[in-house]
Amino acid sequence: MTVDYDTLRDQLADRSKALALLGDTTWIRPETVRRLACDAEIIPMVLGSKGEVLDVGRKSRTPPAGLARAVRRRDRHCAFPGCRRRARRSQIHHIQHWGHDGDTELDNLVCLCVYHHGLVHRSGWEIVMDQRLPW
């Protein structure tokens, strides 16, 4: 199923006249999407304006290319204090570990160089988001 976020949001306020796409050719109403998603094991994906995957819910630990680019663009370098290793040479780290219900989404991911990624896992360092930026 493919449905625009605004369509689902407007449907909650009973304003939506738009339809969602089921498969390749079948159009359905937003309330039907919600009912089907509730009854099935649906993994939600949030897509960017160019169709790039920005959030993959709980199915995947590894961020897809579009989401990894968004994290690297936001952070620009390793987020560890004082480290300036470039983001493209860094790894993507889950702030709330994926195995402990941390989602693979922009607000739960941060760039860390290999050294600091290992240090964060082995030590008492904690990363938090402050105004949508890692701290």
Side-chain angles (χ1 to χ4, degrees):
M1 287 182 285
T2 304
V3 62
D4 181 86
Y5 173 77
D6 291 330
T7 299
L8 280 178
R9 187 191 65 223
D10 290 347
Q11 188 266 329
L12 288 175
D14 201 26
R15 298 185 309 232
S16 181
K17 304 276 189 271
L19 297 174
L21 183 61
L22 178 63
D24 291 329
T25 59
T26 305
W27 292 93
I28 58 176
R29 300 192 42 79
E31 59 268 19
T32 305
V33 171
R34 287 185 178 279
R35 189 177 68 252
L36 290 172
C38 183
D39 293 340
E41 292 182 12
I42 299 293
I43 303 299
M45 279 193 187
V46 176
L47 304 179
S49 61
K50 296 179 181 172
E52 68 275 21
V53 178
L54 298 178
D55 180 357
V56 291
R58 292 288 310 146
K59 186 170 185 176
S60 176
R61 179 184 66 83
T62 305
L67 182 54
R69 277 193 305 275
V71 173
R72 288 185 177 107
R73 183 177 183 116
R74 180 198 64 204
D75 294 353
R76 305 178 94 186
H77 54 78
C78 173
F80 198 87
C83 185
R84 291 292 181 239
R85 287 189 181 99
R86 292 182 180 190
R88 68 175 182 211
R89 301 182 60 82
S90 297
Q91 298 175 339
I92 306 295
H93 169 75
H94 282 80
I95 296 169
Q96 179 181 344
H97 192 277
W98 190 83
H100 297 121
D101 295 327
D103 290 328
T104 303
E105 63 184 7
L106 187 59
D107 288 341
N108 192 45
L109 299 172
V110 63
C111 283
L112 292 172
C113 69
V114 173
Y115 176 77
H116 289 122
H117 194 181
L119 183 68
V120 165
H121 279 285
R122 292 186 309 270
S123 69
W125 284 92
E126 181 181 352
I127 302 167
V128 295
M129 295 300 281
D130 183 21
Q131 298 179 10
R132 302 195 77 174
L133 295 173
W135 186 82

